[in-house]
Amino acid sequence: MAKAEAVPHHQPVLYHEIIHALKPQSPERYVDATVGAGGHAWGVLEASAPDGQLLALDRDPQALAIASQRLSVYHPRVILVHASYTRLREELSRLGWTQVNGIVFDLGVSSMQLDQAERGFSFLADGLLDMRFDPTTGMSAADLVNTLSEEELTELIWRYGEERHARRIAREICRSRPLHTTVELAQIVERVVGGQRERIHPATRTFQALRIAVNNELRALEEALPAAAESLASGGRLAVISFHSLEDRIVKQFFRRESKDCICPPEQPVCTCNHRATLREITRKPILPSSEEIETNPRARSAKLRVAEKI
C-alpha cells in the first residue's frame, strides 16, 4: 500500500464511481487516457496492487509532470506518456500490450488548467487567449478569433458552444480585433449578451466552443472511442466522464450503436450491415455526481459518467 502522505489532496470528479466501475485488480492492465493530475490513476493503481499496471496519457506536459510526481510511489507499475488519447493504439502497441482490462476518459478542461490564468481557459482571470491542452503545438484561441471570418466564427460558436447569440458575438469579435486576452473576449461577450442573466457566466459557451475547436476535442473523441473499445479484453470496461451535451451525445451514441447486433435503419426490412455487438451498456442512464460532491466541488455539477463492458 502507498504511503499516506503521497495520496493526492484533491480527488477528481466521480472518483469512487470510476473505481467501482472499473473494478481494478492485480495483475491486470489499465489505461487512464486523460491522466491530468493523477487522481483516477492513483485509485486504479492502489486498487490493482501489487501487480496491476497503468498506461497514463495526457496532452498537457504540466499535468504529466504533476502526475509523475504524485504517482512516483507506484513506479514501475505506471507508464506516463505525453500523447493524445487518439494515439491509444500506438502507445499500447509500443508497450506490447495487446489488450487491457479497463480504460477511463475524463474529458474536458481540468480544475488545474482553469486555475492557471496564463493557460487562457478561464474568463474569470486575465490571461493570454491560448486554451491549448498541449501548449507546445497547434493554433491558439487567439489565432482563431483573430483570423477566422465572421461566418466561420459564427459557425464555430454555434456548433461547439450551442450559443444562440453566436452571430452577434462573432460580429462584435471581428469589430474589436485584434484580441489577445481572456478578459477582452469575456467583456465582448458580456456586452453582446447583456450581463449574467442565467446561472452560468455569459461567456461560458463561447469559451467552451473555442476550447473544443482549438483542441479538436469532438473529432478526437470520435476517433478514440472505437480504438478504446477494440483495445479492451473480454469483460474489460470503458468509463467516460463528459461535461457537456456534445461530448455526452457522442459517448451515448457510440455505446448504443456498439451494443446492438444490427444498426440498419429501422425501416429496412432485412439486415445488410452485418454489424455485431461488441459492448454491453452498464449505464443506460449516466451516473451523476452526488449533491455532496457538487457541494464540495461545484465544477462537478455537469459531469456525466457512462460505462460499457466488452462482450
Side-chain angles (χ1 to χ4, degrees), residues 226-295:
E230 290 171 15
S231 301
L232 286 172
S234 178
R237 289 191 169 184
L238 174 56
V240 185
I241 301 173
S242 62
F243 288 87
H244 57 76
S245 60
L246 299 175
E247 291 173 338
D248 182 59
R249 191 177 304 133
I250 290 171
V251 179
K252 175 183 176 180
Q253 290 175 350
F254 176 75
F255 283 2
R256 293 280 158 87
R257 183 175 68 250
E258 294 308 310
S259 64
K260 296 177 181 178
D261 278 336
C262 174
I263 56 174
C264 291
E267 65 273 11
Q268 185 169 313
V270 179
C271 175
T272 57
C273 68
N274 297 317
H275 185 267
R276 291 294 175 265
T278 58
L279 298 175
R280 178 174 67 91
E281 283 188 283
I282 301 299
T283 54
R284 288 287 294 181
K285 292 185 177 180
I287 297 171
L288 306 178
S290 65
S291 55
E292 291 78 12
E293 179 171 5
I294 294 172
E295 186 175 346

Side-chain angles (χ1 to χ4, degrees), residues 3-242:
K3 295 179 181 178
E5 60 268 26
V7 177
H9 296 297
H10 171 70
Q11 284 191 344
V13 171
L14 294 166
Y15 173 85
H16 297 290
E17 289 83 353
I18 285 289
I19 303 307
H20 178 76
L22 295 185
K23 304 185 186 301
Q25 55 186 308
S26 179
E28 295 182 342
R29 289 171 170 168
Y30 300 88
V31 177
D32 189 332
T34 50
V35 70
H40 291 127
W42 178 280
V44 172
L45 287 160
E46 185 79 357
S48 64
D51 297 314
Q53 294 176 283
L54 177 78
L55 170 62
L57 307 176
D58 209 290
R59 297 170 66 178
D60 187 339
Q62 292 184 28
L64 274 178
I66 293 171
S68 179
Q69 181 179 4
R70 288 186 169 181
L71 301 175
S72 60
V73 68
Y74 292 112
H75 181 78
R77 293 199 291 123
V78 58
I79 303 100
L80 291 108
V81 180
H82 179 211
S84 166
Y85 48 66
T86 57
R87 289 189 49 82
L88 177 61
R89 269 189 287 228
E90 291 88 339
E91 296 303 328
L92 289 174
S93 177
R94 188 174 60 84
L95 291 174
W97 293 10
T98 55
Q99 292 180 318
V100 295
N101 304 98
I103 303 174
V104 57
F105 287 78
D106 183 358
L107 303 172
V109 63
S110 70
S111 297
M112 177 180 61
Q113 290 163 330
L114 283 168
D115 291 338
Q116 295 174 317
E118 67 274 13
R119 299 296 298 275
F121 288 106
S122 176
F123 41 76
L124 299 177
D126 198 13
L128 293 177
L129 266 175
D130 194 319
M131 300 194 194
R132 290 173 294 173
F133 289 150
D134 183 353
T136 67
T137 186
M139 296 181 70
S140 69
D143 293 328
L144 295 184
V145 299
N146 289 316
T147 61
L148 294 182
S149 69
E150 183 179 321
E151 282 301 317
E152 289 170 325
L153 278 172
T154 299
E155 172 66 15
L156 186 156
I157 296 168
W158 168 251
R159 176 182 294 181
Y160 297 142
E162 300 178 301
E163 170 58 74
R164 59 192 178 94
H165 302 291
R167 184 167 298 280
R168 292 169 54 208
I169 292 170
R171 184 180 302 124
E172 190 62 25
I173 286 173
C174 291
R175 285 176 180 167
S176 306
R177 294 195 293 209
L179 300 177
H180 301 291
T181 71
T182 53
V183 165
E184 286 176 336
L185 178 59
Q187 287 175 343
I188 285 173
V189 178
E190 287 185 87
R191 192 158 65 241
V192 170
V193 176
Q196 191 164 354
R197 297 176 182 175
E198 303 179 59
R199 66 181 182 87
I200 63 171
H201 190 281
T204 299
R205 296 185 181 92
T206 299
F207 271 67
Q208 172 187 295
L210 284 168
R211 193 202 76 225
I212 289 172
V214 164
N215 297 290
N216 204 16
E217 292 177 45
L218 301 186
R219 185 178 300 174
L221 181 60
E222 288 171 342
E223 291 178 14
L225 289 174
E230 290 171 15
S231 301
L232 286 172
S234 178
R237 289 191 169 184
L238 174 56
V240 185
I241 301 173
S242 62

